Amino acid sequence: YIDTLGDVFRKEKCELLMPLYSNLGQVYLRQEAWTEAAEACGKAIDLAGVAKNQIPGSLHAKALFRRGVANVALERWQDAKEDLQRTLKLQPKSEEAAEQLKVVEGRLDDIKKRLEAERLAEKEEERKRRKQTLEEQRRQERLVRAKEKQQMETAFKKLSEGSMLYEQREKEMEPVRQKEAEKRRTLELEQNLTNILDEAK
């Protein structure tokens, strides 16, 4: 008996609160108070979510639809989609819910495309940055190689100039060496002649 009485009171309470919250949500929708509308309808939906409350499907669907509309205005697209899908599950013939769901799905599709475009744009930008970095690295490598080549050419030039100076100096000294050689030969001849004369005595 007590359980039965409790169920009766529960049912009467929900029969009062459910339309109260749902209608309050509708009032907020007319005032374009979207957040308040979603919250009020949410309370009605919570009541309907408890099986013991025995809320009629039509009331549940109405609260879901109104919260879905509020979520559309708040641009909570995924939440709106879920509310409208649940509305159509309870009331498959609801043209308003079907129309709103079509709008929401179109918006979600646009968002998906925009995000994909942004992702591709970021990917392309990253590719360009990497390409620029690689080109800069190659440019720096070319500069380093050019500098090294210049240094080597300068070093070879100095070595070549030093070799040429040495050869020129050698040519200039050749007559001097020849004179010194002739002088040594003359001295040797004189010495040999002196030795011969000494031996003849």
Side-chain angles (χ1 to χ4, degrees), residues 156-169:
F156 283 134
K157 185 177 180 181
K158 288 181 179 180
L159 287 172
S160 178
E161 290 175 351
S163 177
M164 290 175 64
L165 288 173
Y166 177 77
E167 291 176 359
Q168 183 178 355
R169 182 62 176 167

Side-chain angles (χ1 to χ4, degrees), residues 18 21-30 33-49 58-87 90 96-97 100-101 104:
M18 184 71 188
Y21 285 133
S22 183
N23 290 335
L24 180 60
Q26 179 64 15
V27 171
Y28 282 134
L29 286 177
R30 290 176 180 174
W34 313 119
T35 301
E36 291 80 359
E39 291 175 353
C41 291
K43 291 178 180 179
I45 293 166
D46 289 341
L47 287 174
S58 58
L59 288 178
H60 190 184
K62 188 178 291 185
L64 282 167
F65 174 74
R66 289 172 178 173
R67 189 174 71 173
V69 172
N71 281 327
V72 168
L74 292 169
E75 297 186 356
R76 298 172 181 168
W77 305 110
Q78 190 59 43
D79 290 341
K81 179 181 178 180
E82 292 173 3
D83 284 340
L84 294 169
Q85 285 177 332
R86 292 171 66 187
T87 300
L90 293 169
E96 285 183 308
Q100 283 288 337
L101 181 59
V104 170

Side-chain angles (χ1 to χ4, degrees), residues 101-185:
L101 181 59
K102 186 176 180 180
V103 171
V104 170
E105 288 177 337
R107 183 57 179 159
L108 285 171
D109 189 52
D110 290 341
I111 292 172
K112 183 179 178 181
K113 290 178 180 178
R114 177 175 57 80
L115 291 175
E116 180 63 16
E118 289 176 356
R119 186 186 69 81
L120 292 175
E122 289 176 0
K123 187 177 180 180
E124 178 63 18
E125 187 65 26
E126 178 63 22
R127 187 190 67 79
K128 288 181 179 179
R129 282 197 296 268
R130 276 187 287 201
K131 183 179 178 182
Q132 290 175 351
T133 300
L134 182 59
E135 289 176 350
E136 178 62 20
Q137 289 175 347
R138 289 174 177 172
R139 189 181 72 84
Q140 292 295 334
E141 289 172 359
R142 288 195 297 269
L143 289 174
V144 170
R145 286 196 297 269
K147 186 176 180 180
E148 290 175 349
K149 182 179 179 182
Q150 181 65 35
Q151 290 174 344
M152 290 179 67
E153 289 177 350
T154 301
F156 283 134
K157 185 177 180 181
K158 288 181 179 180
L159 287 172
S160 178
E161 290 175 351
S163 177
M164 290 175 64
L165 288 173
Y166 177 77
E167 291 176 359
Q168 183 178 355
R169 182 62 176 167
E170 286 294 307
K171 289 180 180 179
E172 291 175 352
M173 290 298 294
E174 185 62 26
V176 176
R177 293 194 187 94
Q178 289 178 356
K179 287 181 180 182
E180 289 179 350
E182 290 175 359
K183 186 176 181 180
R184 284 195 300 272
R185 285 195 296 271

